Amino acid sequence: MISQPSEGNLQDLVKQNERVPASGLILVDPQGPSILLILQKQRWRREPSWNIPGGLRDRGETSWEAALREFSEEVGQSAQIERHLETIRKNRFDYHVAVGSCKAGKRTSEALTSRWFPFEEIRKMATDSGVAFRCNPTREVLLNVVDRWEGGGYERTGREEAEMNAGKEKRGEKGSSSREIKGARGSLSRCWALWWWVWDVFLCGLVSFFCWVV
């Protein structure tokens, strides 16, 4: 179980390049397609920056649970997830990429607003040094998602997942058939054993009878 680091040792963990348990949710709307980002104020910047919804995990949370909770808190709406695509591990973050929907534009205690960005705009923002992001890995991760989506990588992942599930079901049917065959063979073996036992008893009785008569 991964626990929440305290404020006192958080900077030490980052300096030591150790993994800090944090998660983010990259929500992709296939109609467009587009990605939802939030606008946040940063302590070390004058201007706010666009970020992937996410943050540190609470005690006892899984990476996926933390991503959903942080998304809900920062966007002000729960994400309607249709399918989880992949998890990108970058530095101290687990970025969960998922297909889904959510209303944007609400101001929360943790974000000034949220907005859906088309892939073309995401690509321009990620390659423009004048656009403020929380950190450079955000640019890299967003570009990776856009490139893989446009290259059909996630479609192949979906097909492979469907084929894998179909293969499991098929193997399960074969396994069931094999168990039935083994069971039938076992029953047949028991029948033969019983028949030979009866035959042995009959022969022994017959021999005993002839010996008694003689």
Side-chain angles (χ1 to χ4, degrees), residues 55-71:
L56 297 177
R57 300 179 209 170
D58 287 340
R59 185 181 299 275
E61 275 188 323
T62 65
S63 179
W64 175 244
E65 290 171 344
L68 293 178
R69 177 185 54 76
E70 286 288 342
F71 183 95

Side-chain angles (χ1 to χ4, degrees), residues 14-169:
V14 175
K15 289 178 181 178
Q16 294 170 10
N17 200 26
E18 297 181 9
R19 282 188 56 77
V20 177
S23 301
L25 177 60
I26 302 175
L27 191 64
V28 180
D29 183 354
Q31 303 299 325
S34 54
I35 294 176
L36 191 146
L37 299 178
I38 57 174
L39 185 64
Q40 289 181 310
K41 291 182 178 180
Q42 304 294 339
R43 296 178 182 177
W44 57 90
R45 282 198 183 105
R46 292 181 179 178
E47 72 278 7
S49 61
W50 290 101
N51 304 312
I52 298 169
L56 297 177
R57 300 179 209 170
D58 287 340
R59 185 181 299 275
E61 275 188 323
T62 65
S63 179
W64 175 244
E65 290 171 344
L68 293 178
R69 177 185 54 76
E70 286 288 342
F71 183 95
S72 178
E73 292 175 356
E74 295 180 345
V75 178
Q77 301 281 345
S78 297
Q80 303 300 317
I81 304 298
E82 296 179 13
R83 183 161 64 99
H84 184 275
L85 298 177
E86 69 168 334
T87 301
I88 302 174
R89 290 181 169 84
K90 190 69 176 176
N91 294 345
R92 65 188 184 93
F93 254 86
D94 287 346
Y95 294 98
H96 295 276
V97 185
V99 174
S101 60
C102 180
K103 291 183 179 180
K106 186 175 181 180
R107 185 186 181 100
T108 66
S109 60
E110 300 186 30
L112 299 175
T113 188
S114 57
R115 178 188 159 193
W116 286 98
F117 288 88
F119 276 11
E120 292 182 5
E121 195 168 354
I122 289 286
R123 188 180 294 279
K124 291 178 181 179
M125 293 170 60
T127 54
D128 185 357
S129 59
V131 177
F133 280 99
R134 177 161 49 192
C135 55
N136 286 328
T138 302
R139 302 175 186 272
E140 183 180 346
V141 170
L142 289 174
L143 282 175
N144 180 63
V145 172
V146 171
D147 288 341
R148 186 171 182 187
W149 182 284
E150 294 180 341
Y154 290 124
E155 292 180 5
R156 289 194 294 272
T157 300
R159 288 197 299 270
E160 290 170 0
E161 182 179 351
E163 292 172 358
M164 181 179 66
N165 292 335
K168 287 181 179 179
E169 293 178 1

Side-chain angles (χ1 to χ4, degrees), residues 188-201:
L188 185 60
S189 299
R190 288 192 293 271
C191 289
W192 275 107
L194 180 61
W195 188 87
W196 278 111
W197 180 80
V198 173
W199 179 248
D200 286 341
V201 171

